[in-house]
């Protein structure tokens, strides 16, 4: 039994070494710039072990991204569910800014702390690889979170069509990813006048996105009719 336990610990340790080495090389060189041989060499393990644990380099990246995203998504889920409980039965009372903060802040903080840097390696994936990658990632790790996110956004904006909420969420996630991917861009374009510090970024980003959500996008016909009826009384 002790030998079996030791073998399990050894397998977990070799798996962790491979993932840590892959994260370092993917961040430095991009997905296409790091081979499985490079990764196992840095990890100090045999190439056969990487093939045994992960099969392919793309599956290694998938496992790594899922592992790094798990605590981020768990925090997102906990914060959104807390908001749902607080504002249950109160459509329109949930603060949109707090919903957006729950979605964005955990990722930006993790990125600042170096816990999400590997996500940026996805930028070097070819289009077809990236599409397949995110389709699988969504099915296995984001589907439940998206359902909770959409419910929270609908509670915050009950008069908005779900189609518009989907579009706005799409833009929100893309913007957050872009801000995380290029933290030095603000300093460059401002000639050093501005610096994208974490707290200042959130202070400006959340109201900016919230304004986009509210800026004249299609509302539910029922809400528009109700508003017209109320104003005509």
């Amino acid at each position: 039994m002790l030998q079996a336990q030791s073998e399990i610990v050894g397998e977990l340790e070799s798996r962790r070494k491979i993932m840590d080495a892959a994260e370092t090389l993917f961040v430095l060189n991009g997905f296409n710039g790091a081979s499985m041989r490079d990764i196992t060499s840095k990890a100090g393990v045999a190439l056969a072990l990487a093939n045994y644990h992960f099969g392919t380099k793309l599956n290694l990246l998938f496992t790594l991204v899922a592992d790094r995203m798990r605590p981020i998504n768990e925090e997102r889920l906990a914060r959104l569910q807390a908001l749902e409980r607080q504002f249950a039965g109160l459509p329109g009372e949930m603060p949109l800014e707090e919903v957006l903060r729950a979605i964005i802040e955990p990722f930006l903080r993790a990125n600042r702390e170096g816990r999400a840097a590997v996500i940026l390696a996805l930028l070097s994936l070819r289009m077809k690889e990236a599409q397949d990658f995110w389709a699988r990632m969504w099915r296995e790790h984001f589907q439940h979170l998206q359902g909770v996110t959409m419910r929270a956004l609908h509670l915050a904006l009950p008069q908005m069509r779900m189609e518009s909420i989907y579009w706005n969420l799409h833009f929100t996630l893309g913007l957050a990813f872009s801000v995380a991917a290029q933290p030095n861009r603000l300093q460059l374009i401002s000639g050093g006048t501005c610096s994208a510090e974490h707290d200042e970024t959130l202070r400006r980003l959340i109201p900016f996105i919230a304004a986009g959500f509210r800026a004249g996008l299609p509302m539910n016909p029922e809400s528009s009719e109700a508003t017209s009826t109320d104003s005509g009384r």
Side-chain angles (χ1 to χ4, degrees):
M1 181 176 290
L2 289 177
Q3 182 178 354
Q5 290 178 340
S6 177
E7 289 176 355
I8 292 172
V9 170
E11 284 197 5
L12 291 174
E13 180 65 14
S14 64
R15 183 182 174 91
R16 183 194 62 77
K17 286 181 178 179
I18 294 166
M19 289 174 66
D20 288 348
E23 181 173 35
T24 299
L25 293 178
F26 287 156
V27 170
L28 286 175
N29 304 324
F31 176 77
N32 296 318
S35 68
M36 287 289 263
R37 191 172 298 278
D38 294 332
I39 292 166
T40 53
S41 176
K42 184 170 182 59
V45 302
L47 178 61
L49 270 177
N51 294 329
Y52 168 74
H53 284 300
F54 303 103
T56 66
K57 188 174 68 164
L58 190 61
N59 194 56
L60 169 56
L61 176 62
F62 181 91
T63 305
L64 180 57
V65 170
D67 181 77
R68 300 310 191 248
M69 285 299 299
R70 188 172 297 110
I72 298 171
N73 285 345
E74 286 174 352
E75 182 182 349
R76 285 169 160 170
L77 189 60
R79 291 172 65 165
L80 289 169
Q81 288 175 331
L83 285 169
E84 274 191 315
R85 289 191 296 270
Q86 183 179 353
F87 294 96
L90 299 170
E93 295 297 317
M94 183 183 291
L96 175 61
E97 287 77 6
E98 289 306 308
V99 177
L100 295 173
R101 183 177 291 274
I103 297 167
I104 295 168
E105 184 175 19
F107 176 68
L108 291 187
R109 187 183 342 104
N111 188 62
R112 179 192 62 177
E113 296 169 356
R115 295 185 289 114
V118 70
I119 309 299
L120 307 183
L122 298 176
L123 294 172
S124 65
L125 284 177
R126 292 188 294 270
M127 182 60 68
K128 181 62 167 62
E129 288 176 332
Q131 289 175 344
D132 293 345
F133 185 98
W134 281 116
R136 180 186 169 195
M137 183 66 69
W138 181 83
R139 287 193 307 270
E140 297 184 19
H141 297 285
F142 283 87
Q143 195 165 9
H144 177 59
L145 174 62
Q146 179 178 311
V148 176
T149 300
M150 291 300 294
R151 285 201 309 270
L153 288 168
H154 184 58
L155 276 173
L157 296 167
Q159 77 281 14
M160 183 168 286
R161 294 177 183 174
M162 293 301 289
E163 178 187 11
S164 294
I165 294 178
Y166 279 119
W167 273 103
N168 291 340
L169 179 60
H170 168 62
F171 294 142
T172 296
L173 297 176
L175 180 55
F177 189 89
S178 176
V179 168
Q182 301 189 54
N184 298 323
R185 177 174 50 198
L186 176 63
Q187 190 168 6
L188 290 173
I189 64 176
S190 68
T193 304
C194 304
S195 178
E197 296 178 359
H198 176 73
D199 290 343
E200 184 66 9
T201 296
L202 280 171
R203 190 179 75 82
R204 294 177 180 273
L205 183 60
I206 299 298
F208 180 85
I209 294 175
F213 262 85
R214 296 183 175 114
L217 295 177
M219 300 298 179
N220 280 320
E222 296 83 358
S223 298
S224 302
E225 290 170 7
T227 301
S228 300
T229 302
D230 290 342
S231 62
R233 287 175 182 170

